Coordinates of all heavy atoms in Angstrom, one line a residue:
M1 N 1.2 3.4 -14.3 CA 2.5 2.9 -13.8 C 2.2 1.8 -12.8 O 1.1 1.7 -12.2 CB 3.3 4.1 -13.2 CG 2.9 4.6 -11.9 SD 4.0 5.9 -11.3 CE 3.0 6.6 -10.0
I2 N 3.2 1.0 -12.6 CA 3.2 0.0 -11.6 C 4.1 0.3 -10.4 O 5.3 0.6 -10.6 CB 3.6 -1.4 -12.2 CG1 2.6 -1.8 -13.3 CG2 3.6 -2.5 -11.1 CD1 3.0 -3.0 -14.0
V3 N 3.5 0.3 -9.2 CA 4.3 0.6 -8.0 C 4.4 -0.8 -7.2 O 3.4 -1.5 -7.2 CB 3.8 1.7 -7.1 CG1 3.9 3.0 -7.9 CG2 2.3 1.5 -6.7
R4 N 5.5 -0.9 -6.6 CA 5.7 -2.1 -5.8 C 5.5 -1.8 -4.3 O 6.1 -0.8 -3.8 CB 7.1 -2.7 -6.0 CG 7.3 -3.0 -7.4 CD 8.5 -3.8 -7.6 NE 8.0 -5.2 -7.6 CZ 8.7 -6.3 -7.5 NH1 10.0 -6.2 -7.4 NH2 8.2 -7.5 -7.5
V5 N 4.6 -2.5 -3.7 CA 4.2 -2.2 -2.3 C 4.7 -3.4 -1.4 O 4.3 -4.5 -1.6 CB 2.7 -2.0 -2.1 CG1 2.3 -1.7 -0.7 CG2 2.2 -0.9 -3.1
H6 N 5.5 -3.1 -0.4 CA 6.0 -4.1 0.5 C 4.8 -4.3 1.5 O 4.3 -3.4 2.1 CB 7.2 -3.6 1.3 CG 8.4 -3.5 0.3 ND1 9.3 -4.4 0.1 CD2 8.7 -2.4 -0.5 CE1 10.2 -4.0 -0.7 NE2 9.9 -2.8 -1.1
L7 N 4.5 -5.6 1.8 CA 3.4 -5.9 2.7 C 4.0 -6.6 4.0 O 4.9 -7.3 3.9 CB 2.5 -6.9 2.0 CG 1.9 -6.5 0.7 CD1 1.1 -7.6 0.0 CD2 1.1 -5.3 0.8
F8 N 3.4 -6.2 5.1 CA 3.8 -6.8 6.4 C 2.7 -7.4 7.1 O 1.5 -7.0 6.9 CB 4.5 -5.7 7.2 CG 5.7 -5.1 6.5 CD1 5.7 -4.0 5.8 CD2 6.9 -5.8 6.7 CE1 6.8 -3.5 5.1 CE2 8.1 -5.3 6.1 CZ 8.0 -4.2 5.3
A9 N 3.0 -8.3 8.0 CA 2.0 -8.9 9.0 C 0.7 -9.4 8.3 O 0.8 -10.1 7.3 CB 1.7 -7.9 10.1
L10 N -0.4 -8.9 8.8 CA -1.7 -9.4 8.2 C -1.9 -9.1 6.7 O -2.4 -9.9 6.0 CB -2.8 -8.7 9.0 CG -4.2 -9.1 8.7 CD1 -4.4 -10.6 8.9 CD2 -5.2 -8.4 9.5
A11 N -1.4 -8.0 6.3 CA -1.5 -7.7 4.8 C -0.7 -8.8 4.0 O -1.2 -9.3 3.0 CB -0.9 -6.3 4.5
R12 N 0.4 -9.2 4.5 CA 1.2 -10.2 3.8 C 0.5 -11.5 3.8 O 0.4 -12.3 2.8 CB 2.6 -10.3 4.4 CG 3.5 -11.4 3.7 CD 4.8 -11.5 4.4 NE 5.6 -10.4 4.0 CZ 6.9 -10.4 4.3 NH1 7.5 -11.4 4.8 NH2 7.6 -9.3 3.9
E13 N -0.1 -11.8 5.0 CA -0.8 -13.1 5.1 C -2.0 -13.1 4.2 O -2.3 -14.2 3.5 CB -1.3 -13.3 6.5 CG -0.2 -13.6 7.5 CD -0.7 -13.6 9.0 OE1 -1.9 -13.8 9.2 OE2 0.1 -13.4 9.9
K14 N -2.8 -12.0 4.1 CA -4.0 -12.0 3.2 C -3.6 -12.1 1.7 O -4.4 -12.8 1.0 CB -4.7 -10.7 3.5 CG -5.5 -10.7 4.8 CD -6.3 -9.4 4.9 CE -7.2 -9.5 6.2 NZ -8.4 -10.3 6.0
V15 N -2.5 -11.5 1.3 CA -2.2 -11.5 -0.1 C -1.4 -12.8 -0.5 O -1.4 -13.3 -1.6 CB -1.5 -10.2 -0.5 CG1 -1.0 -10.3 -2.0 CG2 -2.4 -9.1 -0.3
G16 N -0.5 -13.2 0.5 CA 0.3 -14.4 0.3 C 1.6 -14.2 -0.4 O 2.3 -15.1 -0.7
V17 N 2.0 -12.9 -0.5 CA 3.3 -12.5 -1.1 C 3.9 -11.3 -0.3 O 3.1 -10.6 0.3 CB 3.2 -12.2 -2.6 CG1 2.9 -13.4 -3.4 CG2 2.3 -11.0 -2.8
P18 N 5.2 -11.2 -0.2 CA 5.8 -10.0 0.5 C 5.7 -8.7 -0.2 O 5.8 -7.6 0.4 CB 7.2 -10.5 0.7 CG 7.5 -11.4 -0.4 CD 6.2 -12.1 -0.7
I19 N 5.5 -8.7 -1.6 CA 5.5 -7.5 -2.4 C 4.4 -7.6 -3.4 O 4.3 -8.6 -4.1 CB 6.8 -7.3 -3.1 CG1 8.0 -7.1 -2.1 CG2 6.7 -6.0 -4.0 CD1 9.3 -7.0 -2.7
A20 N 3.5 -6.6 -3.4 CA 2.4 -6.6 -4.4 C 2.7 -5.5 -5.4 O 3.1 -4.4 -5.1 CB 1.1 -6.2 -3.6
D21 N 2.5 -5.8 -6.7 CA 2.6 -4.9 -7.7 C 1.2 -4.3 -7.9 O 0.2 -5.0 -8.1 CB 3.0 -5.5 -9.0 CG 4.5 -5.9 -9.0 OD1 5.3 -5.3 -8.2 OD2 4.9 -6.9 -9.7
V22 N 1.1 -2.9 -7.9 CA -0.2 -2.3 -8.0 C -0.2 -1.3 -9.2 O 0.7 -0.5 -9.3 CB -0.5 -1.5 -6.7 CG1 -1.9 -0.9 -6.8 CG2 -0.4 -2.5 -5.5
V23 N -1.2 -1.4 -10.0 CA -1.3 -0.5 -11.2 C -2.0 0.8 -10.8 O -3.2 0.7 -10.3 CB -2.0 -1.2 -12.3 CG1 -2.1 -0.2 -13.5 CG2 -1.3 -2.4 -12.8
V24 N -1.4 1.9 -10.9 CA -2.0 3.2 -10.6 C -1.7 4.2 -11.8 O -0.8 3.9 -12.6 CB -1.5 3.9 -9.3 CG1 -1.9 3.0 -8.1 CG2 0.0 4.1 -9.3
E25 N -2.5 5.2 -11.9 CA -2.3 6.3 -12.9 C -1.0 7.0 -12.6 O -0.7 7.2 -11.4 CB -3.4 7.2 -13.0 CG -4.7 6.6 -13.4 CD -4.8 6.2 -14.9 OE1 -4.1 6.9 -15.7 OE2 -5.4 5.2 -15.2
N26 N -0.3 7.6 -13.6 CA 0.8 8.5 -13.3 C 0.2 9.7 -12.5 O -0.9 10.2 -12.7 CB 1.4 9.1 -14.6 CG 2.2 8.0 -15.3 OD1 2.6 7.0 -14.7 ND2 2.3 8.2 -16.6
G27 N 1.0 10.1 -11.5 CA 0.6 11.2 -10.6 C -0.4 10.8 -9.5 O -1.0 11.6 -8.9
A28 N -0.5 9.5 -9.3 CA -1.5 9.0 -8.3 C -1.0 9.4 -6.9 O 0.2 9.5 -6.6 CB -1.6 7.4 -8.4
S29 N -2.0 9.5 -6.0 CA -1.7 9.8 -4.6 C -1.8 8.6 -3.8 O -2.2 7.5 -4.3 CB -2.7 10.9 -4.1 OG -4.0 10.3 -4.1
I30 N -1.5 8.7 -2.5 CA -1.7 7.6 -1.6 C -3.2 7.2 -1.5 O -3.5 6.0 -1.5 CB -1.2 8.0 -0.2 CG1 0.3 8.2 -0.2 CG2 -1.6 6.9 0.9 CD1 1.1 7.0 -0.5
A31 N -4.1 8.1 -1.6 CA -5.5 7.8 -1.6 C -5.9 7.0 -2.8 O -6.6 6.0 -2.8 CB -6.4 9.1 -1.5
D32 N -5.3 7.3 -4.0 CA -5.5 6.6 -5.2 C -4.9 5.2 -5.1 O -5.5 4.2 -5.5 CB -4.8 7.3 -6.4 CG -5.4 8.6 -6.7 OD1 -6.6 8.8 -6.5 OD2 -4.6 9.5 -7.1
L33 N -3.8 5.1 -4.4 CA -3.2 3.8 -4.2 C -4.1 2.9 -3.4 O -4.3 1.7 -3.7 CB -1.8 3.9 -3.5 CG -1.1 2.6 -3.1 CD1 -0.8 1.8 -4.3 CD2 0.1 2.9 -2.3
R34 N -4.7 3.4 -2.3 CA -5.6 2.6 -1.5 C -6.8 2.1 -2.3 O -7.1 0.9 -2.2 CB -6.2 3.5 -0.3 CG -5.3 3.7 0.8 CD -6.0 4.4 2.0 NE -5.1 5.0 2.9 CZ -4.6 4.4 3.9 NH1 -4.9 3.1 4.2 NH2 -3.8 5.0 4.7
R35 N -7.3 3.0 -3.1 CA -8.5 2.5 -4.0 C -8.0 1.4 -5.0 O -8.7 0.4 -5.2 CB -9.0 3.7 -4.7 CG -9.9 4.6 -3.9 CD -10.7 5.7 -4.7 NE -9.8 6.7 -5.2 CZ -9.4 7.8 -4.5 NH1 -9.8 7.9 -3.3 NH2 -8.6 8.7 -5.1
A36 N -6.8 1.6 -5.6 CA -6.3 0.6 -6.5 C -6.1 -0.7 -5.8 O -6.4 -1.8 -6.4 CB -5.1 1.1 -7.2
M37 N -5.5 -0.6 -4.6 CA -5.2 -1.9 -3.9 C -6.5 -2.6 -3.5 O -6.6 -3.8 -3.6 CB -4.4 -1.6 -2.7 CG -3.0 -1.2 -3.0 SD -1.9 -1.2 -1.6 CE -1.6 -3.0 -1.5
A38 N -7.6 -1.9 -3.2 CA -8.9 -2.5 -2.9 C -9.5 -3.2 -4.1 O -10.1 -4.3 -3.9 CB -9.9 -1.4 -2.3
E39 N -9.3 -2.6 -5.3 CA -9.8 -3.2 -6.5 C -8.9 -4.4 -6.9 O -9.5 -5.5 -7.3 CB -9.8 -2.2 -7.6 CG -10.8 -1.1 -7.5 CD -10.7 0.0 -8.5 OE1 -9.9 -0.3 -9.5 OE2 -11.3 1.0 -8.4
Q40 N -7.6 -4.3 -6.8 CA -6.7 -5.3 -7.3 C -6.5 -6.4 -6.3 O -6.1 -7.5 -6.7 CB -5.4 -4.7 -7.8 CG -5.6 -3.7 -9.0 CD -4.4 -2.9 -9.2 OE1 -3.3 -3.3 -9.2 NE2 -4.6 -1.6 -9.5
Y41 N -6.6 -6.1 -5.0 CA -6.4 -7.1 -4.0 C -7.6 -7.0 -3.0 O -7.5 -6.5 -1.9 CB -5.1 -6.8 -3.2 CG -3.9 -7.0 -4.1 CD1 -3.3 -5.9 -4.8 CD2 -3.3 -8.2 -4.3 CE1 -2.2 -6.0 -5.6 CE2 -2.2 -8.4 -5.2 CZ -1.7 -7.3 -5.8 OH -0.6 -7.5 -6.6
P42 N -8.8 -7.5 -3.4 CA -10.0 -7.4 -2.6 C -9.8 -8.0 -1.2 O -10.5 -7.6 -0.3 CB -11.1 -8.0 -3.4 CG -10.4 -8.8 -4.5 CD -9.0 -8.2 -4.7
Q43 N -8.9 -8.9 -1.1 CA -8.7 -9.5 0.3 C -8.2 -8.5 1.3 O -8.2 -8.8 2.5 CB -7.9 -10.8 0.2 CG -6.5 -10.6 -0.3 CD -6.3 -10.7 -1.8 OE1 -7.1 -10.1 -2.6 NE2 -5.2 -11.4 -2.3
L44 N -7.7 -7.4 0.8 CA -7.2 -6.4 1.7 C -8.2 -5.3 2.1 O -8.0 -4.5 2.9 CB -6.0 -5.6 1.1 CG -4.7 -6.4 0.9 CD1 -3.7 -5.6 0.1 CD2 -4.2 -6.9 2.2
S45 N -9.4 -5.4 1.4 CA -10.4 -4.3 1.6 C -10.8 -4.1 3.1 O -11.0 -2.9 3.5 CB -11.7 -4.7 0.9 OG -11.4 -4.7 -0.5
S46 N -10.8 -5.1 3.9 CA -11.2 -4.9 5.3 C -10.2 -4.2 6.1 O -10.5 -3.6 7.1 CB -11.5 -6.3 5.9 OG -10.4 -7.1 6.0
I47 N -8.9 -4.3 5.7 CA -7.9 -3.6 6.6 C -7.3 -2.3 5.9 O -6.7 -1.6 6.6 CB -6.7 -4.6 6.9 CG1 -5.9 -5.0 5.6 CG2 -7.2 -5.8 7.6 CD1 -4.6 -5.6 5.9
L48 N -7.6 -2.1 4.7 CA -7.0 -0.9 4.0 C -7.4 0.4 4.7 O -6.6 1.3 4.8 CB -7.4 -0.8 2.6 CG -6.6 -1.7 1.6 CD1 -7.2 -1.8 0.2 CD2 -5.1 -1.2 1.6
P49 N -8.6 0.6 5.3 CA -8.9 1.8 6.0 C -8.1 2.0 7.2 O -7.9 3.1 7.8 CB -10.4 1.7 6.3 CG -10.9 0.7 5.4 CD -9.8 -0.2 5.1
L50 N -7.5 0.9 7.8 CA -6.8 0.9 9.0 C -5.3 1.0 8.9 O -4.6 1.3 9.9 CB -7.1 -0.3 9.8 CG -8.6 -0.6 10.0 CD1 -8.8 -2.0 10.7 CD2 -9.3 0.5 10.8
V51 N -4.7 0.7 7.7 CA -3.3 0.6 7.6 C -2.7 2.0 7.4 O -3.3 3.0 7.0 CB -2.9 -0.2 6.4 CG1 -3.4 -1.7 6.5 CG2 -3.3 0.4 5.1
R52 N -1.4 2.1 7.7 CA -0.6 3.3 7.4 C 0.2 2.9 6.2 O 0.6 1.8 6.0 CB 0.4 3.6 8.6 CG -0.3 3.9 9.9 CD -1.0 5.3 9.9 NE -0.2 6.4 9.5 CZ 0.5 7.3 10.3 NH1 0.5 7.1 11.6 NH2 1.1 8.3 9.8
I53 N 0.5 3.9 5.4 CA 1.4 3.7 4.2 C 2.6 4.6 4.4 O 2.5 5.8 4.6 CB 0.6 4.0 2.9 CG1 -0.6 3.0 2.8 CG2 1.5 3.9 1.7 CD1 -1.5 3.3 1.6
A54 N 3.7 3.9 4.2 CA 5.0 4.6 4.3 C 5.6 4.7 2.9 O 5.6 3.8 2.1 CB 5.9 3.9 5.3
V55 N 6.2 5.9 2.7 CA 6.9 6.1 1.4 C 8.3 6.6 1.8 O 8.5 7.5 2.6 CB 6.3 7.2 0.6 CG1 7.1 7.5 -0.7 CG2 4.8 6.8 0.2
N56 N 9.3 5.8 1.3 CA 10.7 6.0 1.7 C 10.9 6.1 3.2 O 11.6 7.1 3.7 CB 11.2 7.3 1.0 CG 11.2 7.1 -0.5 OD1 11.4 6.0 -1.0 ND2 11.0 8.1 -1.3
A57 N 10.3 5.2 3.9 CA 10.5 5.0 5.4 C 9.9 6.1 6.2 O 10.2 6.3 7.4 CB 12.0 4.8 5.7
E58 N 9.0 6.9 5.6 CA 8.2 7.9 6.4 C 6.7 7.8 6.1 O 6.3 7.6 4.9 CB 8.7 9.3 6.0 CG 10.1 9.6 6.4 CD 10.5 11.1 6.2 OE1 9.6 11.9 6.1 OE2 11.7 11.4 6.1
Y59 N 5.9 7.9 7.1 CA 4.5 7.8 6.9 C 4.0 8.9 6.0 O 4.5 10.0 6.1 CB 3.7 7.9 8.2 CG 3.9 6.7 9.1 CD1 4.3 6.8 10.4 CD2 3.5 5.4 8.6 CE1 4.4 5.6 11.2 CE2 3.6 4.3 9.4 CZ 4.1 4.4 10.7 OH 4.2 3.3 11.5
A60 N 3.2 8.5 5.0 CA 2.7 9.4 4.0 C 1.3 9.9 4.3 O 0.5 9.3 5.0 CB 2.7 8.7 2.7
T61 N 1.0 11.1 3.8 CA -0.4 11.6 3.9 C -1.2 11.1 2.7 O -0.6 10.7 1.7 CB -0.4 13.2 3.8 OG1 0.1 13.6 2.5 CG2 0.5 13.7 4.9
E62 N -2.5 11.2 2.8 CA -3.3 10.7 1.7 C -3.1 11.5 0.4 O -3.4 11.0 -0.7 CB -4.8 10.8 2.1 CG -5.1 9.8 3.2 CD -5.0 8.4 2.8 OE1 -5.6 7.9 1.9 OE2 -4.1 7.7 3.4
L63 N -2.6 12.7 0.5 CA -2.5 13.6 -0.7 C -1.1 13.4 -1.4 O -0.9 14.0 -2.5 CB -2.7 15.0 -0.4 CG -4.1 15.3 0.1 CD1 -4.2 16.8 0.5 CD2 -5.2 15.0 -0.9
Q64 N -0.2 12.7 -0.7 CA 1.2 12.6 -1.2 C 1.2 11.9 -2.6 O 0.5 10.9 -2.7 CB 2.1 11.9 -0.3 CG 3.5 11.8 -0.7 CD 4.4 11.2 0.4 OE1 4.1 11.3 1.6 NE2 5.5 10.7 0.0
V65 N 1.9 12.4 -3.5 CA 1.9 11.9 -4.9 C 3.0 10.8 -4.9 O 4.1 11.0 -4.4 CB 2.2 13.0 -5.9 CG1 2.4 12.4 -7.3 CG2 1.1 14.0 -5.9
L66 N 2.7 9.7 -5.6 CA 3.6 8.6 -5.7 C 4.7 8.8 -6.7 O 4.4 9.4 -7.8 CB 2.9 7.3 -6.0 CG 1.9 6.8 -4.9 CD1 1.0 5.7 -5.4 CD2 2.6 6.4 -3.6
D67 N 5.9 8.3 -6.5 CA 7.0 8.4 -7.4 C 7.3 6.9 -7.7 O 7.4 6.1 -6.8 CB 8.1 9.1 -6.7 CG 9.4 9.1 -7.6 OD1 9.5 8.4 -8.6 OD2 10.3 9.9 -7.2
L68 N 7.5 6.6 -9.0 CA 7.8 5.2 -9.4 C 9.0 4.7 -8.6 O 9.1 3.5 -8.3 CB 8.1 5.2 -10.9 CG 8.2 3.8 -11.5 CD1 7.0 2.9 -11.2 CD2 8.4 4.0 -13.0
A69 N 10.0 5.5 -8.3 CA 11.2 5.0 -7.6 C 11.1 4.9 -6.1 O 12.0 4.4 -5.4 CB 12.4 5.9 -8.0
A70 N 10.0 5.3 -5.6 CA 9.8 5.3 -4.1 C 9.6 3.9 -3.6 O 9.1 3.0 -4.2 CB 8.6 6.2 -3.7
E71 N 10.1 3.7 -2.3 CA 9.9 2.5 -1.6 C 8.6 2.6 -0.8 O 8.5 3.5 0.0 CB 11.0 2.2 -0.7 CG 10.8 0.8 0.0 CD 12.0 0.5 0.9 OE1 12.1 1.1 2.0 OE2 12.8 -0.3 0.5
I72 N 7.6 1.8 -1.1 CA 6.3 2.0 -0.5 C 6.0 0.7 0.4 O 6.3 -0.4 0.0 CB 5.2 2.1 -1.5 CG1 5.5 3.3 -2.5 CG2 3.8 2.2 -0.9 CD1 4.7 3.3 -3.7
A73 N 5.5 1.0 1.6 CA 5.2 -0.1 2.5 C 3.8 0.1 3.1 O 3.4 1.2 3.5 CB 6.2 -0.2 3.6
L74 N 3.1 -1.0 3.2 CA 1.7 -1.1 3.8 C 1.9 -1.7 5.2 O 2.3 -2.8 5.3 CB 0.8 -2.0 2.9 CG -0.6 -1.9 3.2 CD1 -1.2 -0.7 2.6 CD2 -1.3 -3.1 2.6
I75 N 1.6 -0.9 6.2 CA 1.9 -1.3 7.5 C 0.5 -1.4 8.3 O -0.1 -0.4 8.6 CB 2.8 -0.3 8.2 CG1 4.1 -0.1 7.4 CG2 3.1 -0.7 9.7 CD1 5.0 1.0 7.8
P76 N 0.1 -2.6 8.6 CA -1.2 -2.8 9.3 C -1.0 -2.4 10.7 O 0.1 -2.3 11.3 CB -1.4 -4.3 9.2 CG -0.4 -4.8 8.2 CD 0.7 -3.9 8.1
P77 N -2.2 -2.2 11.4 CA -2.2 -1.9 12.8 C -1.5 -3.0 13.6 O -1.7 -4.2 13.2 CB -3.6 -1.7 13.2 CG -4.4 -2.1 12.0 CD -3.5 -2.3 10.8
V78 N -0.9 -2.7 14.6 CA -0.2 -3.7 15.5 C -1.0 -3.9 16.7 O -1.4 -3.0 17.4 CB 1.2 -3.2 15.8 CG1 1.9 -4.3 16.7 CG2 2.0 -3.0 14.5
S79 N -1.2 -5.2 17.1 CA -1.9 -5.4 18.3 C -0.9 -6.3 19.2 O 0.0 -7.0 18.6 CB -3.2 -6.2 18.1 OG -3.0 -7.4 17.5
G80 N -1.1 -6.3 20.4 CA -0.2 -7.1 21.3 C -0.8 -7.2 22.6 O -1.9 -6.7 22.9
G81 N 0.0 -7.8 23.4 CA -0.5 -7.9 24.8 C 0.6 -8.1 25.8 O 1.7 -8.1 25.5

């Protein structure tokens, strides 16, 4: 299945688009999504271990199973001063 992942901040800059389509197996988890994103968008590999992933506006656990209709967002760490 293809899930659409909203990208923000550094993730958006690295990929160059606001939404990335990611191919995952049916029944894939957030951990599976991270692996698929690293393969399909290698420019994200350096930040993927650091990002939070939200599903339907709530932070997800690595074991959470993805739903095709879910709104998924990749949220990089925020720095400031």
Side-chain angles (χ1 to χ4, degrees):
M1 75 178 168
I2 297 175
V3 294
R4 303 195 91 192
V5 180
H6 296 265
L7 306 175
F8 297 96
L10 183 58
R12 181 182 284 193
E13 290 175 24
K14 286 183 172 283
V15 176
V17 295
I19 298 174
D21 290 332
V22 183
V23 178
V24 294
E25 297 288 328
N26 288 338
S29 67
I30 294 296
D32 297 327
L33 174 65
R34 280 186 201 274
R35 284 189 288 276
M37 290 193 78
E39 291 174 12
Q40 295 168 42
Y41 297 95
Q43 61 272 45
L44 292 175
S45 294
S46 64
I47 65 167
L48 279 171
L50 307 172
V51 301
R52 298 288 308 265
I53 297 177
V55 177
N56 296 327
E58 292 188 22
Y59 288 124
T61 67
E62 292 298 297
L63 299 177
Q64 184 169 336
V65 175
L66 296 170
D67 177 345
L68 187 57
E71 181 178 77
I72 303 167
L74 190 76
I75 305 169
V78 178
S79 63

